[in-house]
PDB file of all heavy atoms in Angstrom:
ATOM      1  N   VAL D 126      22.817  21.220  -0.831  1.00  0.00           N
ATOM      2  CA  VAL D 126      21.972  21.158  -2.029  1.00  0.00           C
ATOM      3  C   VAL D 126      20.536  20.928  -1.577  1.00  0.00           C
ATOM      4  O   VAL D 126      20.215  19.892  -0.998  1.00  0.00           O
ATOM      5  CB  VAL D 126      22.412  20.037  -2.986  1.00  0.00           C
ATOM      6  CG1 VAL D 126      21.562  20.071  -4.261  1.00  0.00           C
ATOM      7  CG2 VAL D 126      23.883  20.173  -3.339  1.00  0.00           C
ATOM      8  N   LEU D 127      19.681  21.909  -1.836  1.00  0.00           N
ATOM      9  CA  LEU D 127      18.305  21.839  -1.378  1.00  0.00           C
ATOM     10  C   LEU D 127      17.335  22.064  -2.525  1.00  0.00           C
ATOM     11  O   LEU D 127      17.529  22.960  -3.348  1.00  0.00           O
ATOM     12  CB  LEU D 127      18.055  22.904  -0.296  1.00  0.00           C
ATOM     13  CG  LEU D 127      18.924  22.815   0.965  1.00  0.00           C
ATOM     14  CD1 LEU D 127      18.665  24.017   1.862  1.00  0.00           C
ATOM     15  CD2 LEU D 127      18.686  21.512   1.710  1.00  0.00           C
ATOM     16  N   LEU D 128      16.303  21.253  -2.565  1.00  0.00           N
ATOM     17  CA  LEU D 128      15.230  21.443  -3.535  1.00  0.00           C
ATOM     18  C   LEU D 128      14.142  22.261  -2.847  1.00  0.00           C
ATOM     19  O   LEU D 128      13.552  21.825  -1.849  1.00  0.00           O
ATOM     20  CB  LEU D 128      14.678  20.088  -3.986  1.00  0.00           C
ATOM     21  CG  LEU D 128      13.645  20.099  -5.117  1.00  0.00           C
ATOM     22  CD1 LEU D 128      14.215  20.746  -6.367  1.00  0.00           C
ATOM     23  CD2 LEU D 128      13.169  18.679  -5.420  1.00  0.00           C
ATOM     24  N   ILE D 129      13.917  23.474  -3.347  1.00  0.00           N
ATOM     25  CA  ILE D 129      13.013  24.418  -2.690  1.00  0.00           C
ATOM     26  C   ILE D 129      12.098  25.073  -3.727  1.00  0.00           C
ATOM     27  O   ILE D 129      12.218  24.822  -4.924  1.00  0.00           O
ATOM     28  CB  ILE D 129      13.801  25.504  -1.918  1.00  0.00           C
ATOM     29  CG1 ILE D 129      14.664  26.348  -2.878  1.00  0.00           C
ATOM     30  CG2 ILE D 129      14.678  24.868  -0.846  1.00  0.00           C
ATOM     31  CD1 ILE D 129      15.440  27.474  -2.184  1.00  0.00           C
ATOM     32  N   GLN D 130      11.213  25.906  -3.260  1.00  0.00           N
ATOM     33  CA  GLN D 130      10.310  26.626  -4.167  1.00  0.00           C
ATOM     34  C   GLN D 130      11.133  27.476  -5.135  1.00  0.00           C
ATOM     35  O   GLN D 130      12.063  28.173  -4.746  1.00  0.00           O
ATOM     36  CB  GLN D 130       9.375  27.508  -3.339  1.00  0.00           C
ATOM     37  CG  GLN D 130       8.329  28.240  -4.152  1.00  0.00           C
ATOM     38  CD  GLN D 130       7.374  29.032  -3.264  1.00  0.00           C
ATOM     39  OE1 GLN D 130       7.273  28.767  -2.074  1.00  0.00           O
ATOM     40  NE2 GLN D 130       6.686  29.999  -3.845  1.00  0.00           N
ATOM     41  N   LYS D 131      10.785  27.415  -6.414  1.00  0.00           N
ATOM     42  CA  LYS D 131      11.528  28.118  -7.461  1.00  0.00           C
ATOM     43  C   LYS D 131      11.676  29.606  -7.150  1.00  0.00           C
ATOM     44  O   LYS D 131      12.764  30.175  -7.284  1.00  0.00           O
ATOM     45  CB  LYS D 131      10.824  27.918  -8.803  1.00  0.00           C
ATOM     46  CG  LYS D 131      11.403  28.711  -9.972  1.00  0.00           C
ATOM     47  CD  LYS D 131      10.630  28.398 -11.246  1.00  0.00           C
ATOM     48  CE  LYS D 131      11.128  29.216 -12.430  1.00  0.00           C
ATOM     49  NZ  LYS D 131      10.708  30.635 -12.339  1.00  0.00           N
ATOM     50  N   GLU D 132      10.605  30.236  -6.743  1.00  0.00           N
ATOM     51  CA  GLU D 132      10.631  31.673  -6.468  1.00  0.00           C
ATOM     52  C   GLU D 132      11.639  32.005  -5.364  1.00  0.00           C
ATOM     53  O   GLU D 132      12.353  33.002  -5.432  1.00  0.00           O
ATOM     54  CB  GLU D 132       9.233  32.142  -6.060  1.00  0.00           C
ATOM     55  CG  GLU D 132       9.146  33.621  -5.728  1.00  0.00           C
ATOM     56  CD  GLU D 132       7.768  34.013  -5.220  1.00  0.00           C
ATOM     57  OE1 GLU D 132       6.782  33.323  -5.555  1.00  0.00           O
ATOM     58  OE2 GLU D 132       7.682  35.007  -4.473  1.00  0.00           O
ATOM     59  N   VAL D 133      11.698  31.161  -4.336  1.00  0.00           N
ATOM     60  CA  VAL D 133      12.617  31.401  -3.220  1.00  0.00           C
ATOM     61  C   VAL D 133      14.058  31.163  -3.659  1.00  0.00           C
ATOM     62  O   VAL D 133      14.966  31.913  -3.303  1.00  0.00           O
ATOM     63  CB  VAL D 133      12.250  30.515  -2.012  1.00  0.00           C
ATOM     64  CG1 VAL D 133      13.256  30.712  -0.875  1.00  0.00           C
ATOM     65  CG2 VAL D 133      10.842  30.839  -1.531  1.00  0.00           C
TER      66      VAL D 133
END
Side-chain angles (χ1 to χ4, degrees):
V126 184
L127 301 174
L128 186 59
I129 62 178
Q130 184 176 341
K131 174 179 177 286
E132 179 185 335
V133 177

